[in-house]
């Protein structure tokens, strides 16, 4: 959102030199780590989206939950992970190679919860199982995104997140389709969906353990550091006093105006062990504070997918057996648009694309509230809904990565994700309560007004000139 597309001074020159491929060699579009993590996410999303596709209908039609009760469970499902994201990010930052294993534990925990759904048939046990499942998601999300960020250069970070989200969404596209086929082919359809989902999730964990490297330091990052050191040592007039451990101002110069020393480093330049206090202190950085605030404000008006699909079903009278196919439209649009919009974010700035994505969500609300009942309505709604995710999900993490130091990358991304997830948790509870009291149209109208206000406030939170263009 508010991240500079370029940096001034010596660091910009060194970073550009590091990112420039050697003559005669073609740089890979994305790092192998990104492709490996994308494969893990693809498999895992097949598993999780099988459950997500049938869960709203299972809870509302099968168990007879009210919109308020469903809103509570949906809030747990989508927001409980916020309570542990900072913990996951902090644990991953505490030592080299922990990103992979913290993420792996999160994937394994979510996989273990799938068969427990076979035993839960009331509100409380289902809520506990969903809370444990989302705990796993909270633990894995920030370390996974940190691995993607650390494996990419600033110039290709938006593309890397776009490729990962596209692979992730391919799984989200296949999951509902598999669930639909299982429901049509079996008698105890829901139990079969939960069982197959568990088996697929185990495969995803195995792929992570076997194929994702544990080292978070990239060759590009190492080249960038060496290039920056060479630039300092050859700069005209750049004398150093290594015997005293001091450097003249002509060697390294003062930090850019308005920029603090990277968190996790002491004045001597050595890396200190990351702490939760250091992660929370990132909010003192204007760029991180703005990103977190905007994610929180807009999250308060982001109605969950389950409610959007339930509203669409009511508008169109979709039979229950076809309900599991509605997420396919969103996932297909997300899959097609994730990589192109990731590249667009690299060119025009993440902040602009992030806000444009919420504009697409506002159009979804408007269409669901309108009197239009045309044949094209579901296709337009699902296309815009998928475009919203393609323009906001990975783009938000790419934007936040530019403002967070490498030593606190997992914790910093978790900080932004926590604000967004907590806001969406509140939104699910509020939306379900308003729906129960005054109806679905009133609930959606309130959400649309809040989203429009959130976009306007986010537009007003422009980055300072010293932070570069959006």
């Amino acid at each position: 959102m508010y991240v500079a597309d370029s940096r001034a001074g010596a660091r910009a020159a060194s970073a550009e030199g590091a990112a420039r491929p050697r003559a005669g060699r073609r740089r890979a579009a994305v790092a192998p780590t990104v492709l490996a993590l994308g494969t893990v996410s693809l498999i895992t999303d097949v598993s999780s989206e099988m459950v997500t596709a049938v869960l709203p209908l299972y809870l509302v039609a099968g168990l007879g939950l009210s919109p308020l009760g469903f809103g509570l469970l949906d809030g747990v499902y989508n927001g409980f992970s916020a309570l542990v994201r900072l913990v996951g990010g902090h644990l991953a930052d505490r030592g080299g190679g922990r990103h992979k294993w913290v993420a792996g534990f999160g994937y394994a925990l979510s996989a273990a919860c799938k068969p427990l759904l076979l035993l839960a048939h009331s509100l409380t046990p289902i809520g506990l199982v969903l809370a444990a499942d989302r705990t796993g998601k909270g633990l894995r999300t920030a370390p996974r995104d940190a691995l993607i960020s650390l494996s990419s250069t600033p110039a290709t970070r938006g593309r890397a997140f776009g490729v990962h989200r596209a692979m992730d969404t391919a799984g989200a596209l296949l999951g509902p389709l598999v669930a639909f086929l299982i429901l049509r082919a079996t008698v105890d359809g829901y139990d079969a969906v939960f069982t197959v989902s568990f088996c697929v999730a185990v495969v995803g964990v195995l792929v992570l353990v076997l194929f994702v490297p544990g080292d978070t330091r990239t060759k590009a990052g190492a080249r960038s550091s060496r290039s920056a050191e060479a630039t300092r040592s050859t700069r005209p007039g750049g004398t150093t006093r290594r015997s005293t451990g001091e450097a003249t101002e002509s060697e390294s110069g003062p930090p850019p105006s308005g920029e603090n020393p990277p968190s996790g480093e002491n004045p001597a330049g050595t890396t200190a062990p990351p702490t939760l206090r250091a992660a929370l202190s990132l909010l003192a950085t204007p760029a991180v504070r703005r990103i977190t605030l905007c994610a929180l404000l807009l999250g308060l008006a982001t109605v969950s997918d389950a409610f959007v699909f339930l509203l669409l079903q009511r508008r169109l009278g979709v039979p229950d057996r076809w309900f599991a196919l509605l997420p396919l439209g969103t996932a297909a649009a997300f899959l097609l648009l994730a990589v192109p919009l990731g590249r667009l974010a690299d060119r025009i700035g993440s902040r602009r694309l992030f806000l444009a994505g919420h504009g697409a969500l506002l159009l979804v609300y408007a269409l669901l509230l309108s009197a239009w009942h045309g044949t094209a309505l579901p296709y337009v709604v699902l296309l815009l809904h998928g475009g919203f995710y393609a323009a906001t999900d990975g783009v938000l993490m790419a934007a936040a990565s530019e403002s967070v130091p490498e030593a606190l990358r997992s914790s910093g991304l978790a900080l932004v994700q926590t604000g967004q997830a907590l806001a969406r948790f509140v939104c699910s509870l509020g939306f379900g309560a308003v729906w129960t009291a005054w109806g679905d149209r009133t609930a959606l109208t309130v959400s649309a007004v809040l989203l429009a206000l959130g976009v306007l406030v986010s537009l007003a939170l422009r980055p300072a000139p010293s932070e570069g263009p959006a």
Side-chain angles (χ1 to χ4, degrees):
M1 289 185 299
Y2 313 116
V3 179
D5 291 333
S6 60
R7 298 281 183 183
R11 287 189 297 177
S14 63
E16 290 172 6
R20 190 178 298 118
R22 295 180 182 178
R25 296 182 63 184
R26 183 177 180 180
R27 177 180 293 279
V30 295
T33 299
V34 177
L35 297 177
L37 287 169
T39 303
V40 174
S41 293
L42 187 154
I43 296 171
T44 302
D45 249 36
V46 171
S47 169
S48 60
E49 292 300 323
M50 287 174 62
V51 175
T52 302
V54 302
L55 197 61
L57 201 61
Y58 174 66
L59 295 175
V60 175
L63 300 183
L65 287 183
S66 67
L68 178 59
F70 177 73
L72 176 61
L73 285 182
D74 187 71
V76 169
Y77 191 76
N78 292 295
F80 194 85
S81 62
L83 301 178
V84 293
R85 289 194 185 197
L86 275 177
V87 176
H90 173 66
L91 291 175
D93 283 336
R94 289 293 295 178
R98 289 193 182 182
H99 294 84
K100 171 182 176 177
W101 300 114
V102 173
F105 178 77
Y107 280 110
L109 179 59
S110 293
C113 291
K114 299 299 189 295
L116 296 180
L117 289 170
L118 296 170
L119 308 175
H121 299 288
S122 61
L123 182 63
T124 300
I126 290 177
L128 292 175
V129 172
L130 294 181
D133 178 78
R134 294 299 91 181
T135 297
K137 179 175 177 58
L139 288 174
R140 73 182 183 243
T141 300
R144 180 204 65 200
D145 286 347
L147 279 170
I148 297 171
S149 174
L150 294 170
S151 301
S152 311
T153 63
T156 61
R157 195 162 283 147
R159 180 185 304 173
F161 275 101
V163 168
H164 173 267
R165 294 317 196 252
M167 297 180 71
D168 180 272
T169 308
L173 188 67
L174 294 173
L177 183 60
V178 173
F180 170 74
L181 294 176
I182 291 174
L183 288 175
R184 287 182 61 87
T186 59
V187 177
D188 297 325
Y190 293 120
D191 289 350
V193 168
F194 299 150
T195 302
V196 175
S197 173
F198 167 68
C199 297
V200 175
V202 171
V203 175
V205 175
L206 291 176
V207 172
L208 174 78
V209 172
L210 295 175
F211 297 104
V212 175
D215 187 6
T216 59
R217 289 205 172 264
T218 63
K219 294 180 180 180
R223 287 197 303 268
S224 179
S225 299
R226 289 196 297 268
S227 178
E229 181 65 27
T231 302
R232 288 194 295 268
S233 63
T234 59
R235 188 178 295 156
T239 60
T240 61
R241 292 194 289 271
R242 300 193 184 277
S243 60
T244 62
E246 297 175 358
T248 64
E249 184 170 318
S250 62
E251 178 193 8
S252 58
S257 174
E259 192 169 302
N260 298 324
S263 300
E265 292 187 2
N266 61 27
T270 59
T271 302
T275 64
L276 283 175
R277 178 176 295 181
L280 293 174
S281 70
L282 291 172
L283 289 175
T285 306
V288 177
R289 186 168 60 247
R290 270 190 289 268
I291 290 173
T292 306
L293 179 59
C294 286
L296 191 151
L297 288 175
L298 295 171
L300 288 172
T302 302
V303 176
S304 76
D305 300 355
F307 277 125
V308 170
F309 299 144
L310 285 173
L311 289 168
L312 193 57
Q313 184 202 30
R314 288 194 167 201
R315 282 288 307 274
L316 301 176
V318 177
D320 291 352
R321 65 181 182 276
W322 298 102
F323 181 84
L325 293 181
L326 290 179
L328 287 177
T330 294
F334 192 172
L335 176 64
L336 293 174
L337 297 174
V339 174
L341 291 182
R343 292 175 178 172
L344 183 62
D346 289 333
R347 292 199 299 269
I348 70 172
S350 301
R351 172 183 177 270
R352 295 187 180 94
L353 188 62
F354 184 73
L355 294 180
H358 283 86
L361 182 62
L362 190 59
L363 288 177
V364 169
Y365 295 171
L367 288 173
L368 290 174
L369 289 169
S370 70
W372 182 34
H373 288 79
T375 307
L377 176 63
Y379 302 102
V380 176
V381 167
L382 295 176
L383 175 63
L384 289 171
H385 198 228
F388 156 69
Y389 279 113
T392 58
D393 189 16
V395 171
L396 176 62
M397 292 298 96
S401 296
E402 294 294 334
S403 304
V404 177
E406 182 175 314
L408 291 170
R409 187 62 54 82
S410 285
S411 301
L413 296 184
L415 195 65
V416 178
Q417 293 167 347
T418 296
Q420 184 182 60
L422 284 175
R424 290 182 176 182
F425 175 80
V426 173
C427 180
S428 288
L429 292 180
F431 191 90
V434 175
W435 184 340
T436 301
W438 295 290
D440 55 348
R441 289 186 63 84
T442 301
L444 191 59
T445 301
V446 171
S447 297
V449 172
L450 290 177
L451 182 59
L453 292 175
V455 170
L456 292 176
V457 172
S458 299
L459 284 171
L461 293 174
R462 297 182 182 278
S466 61
E467 295 176 38

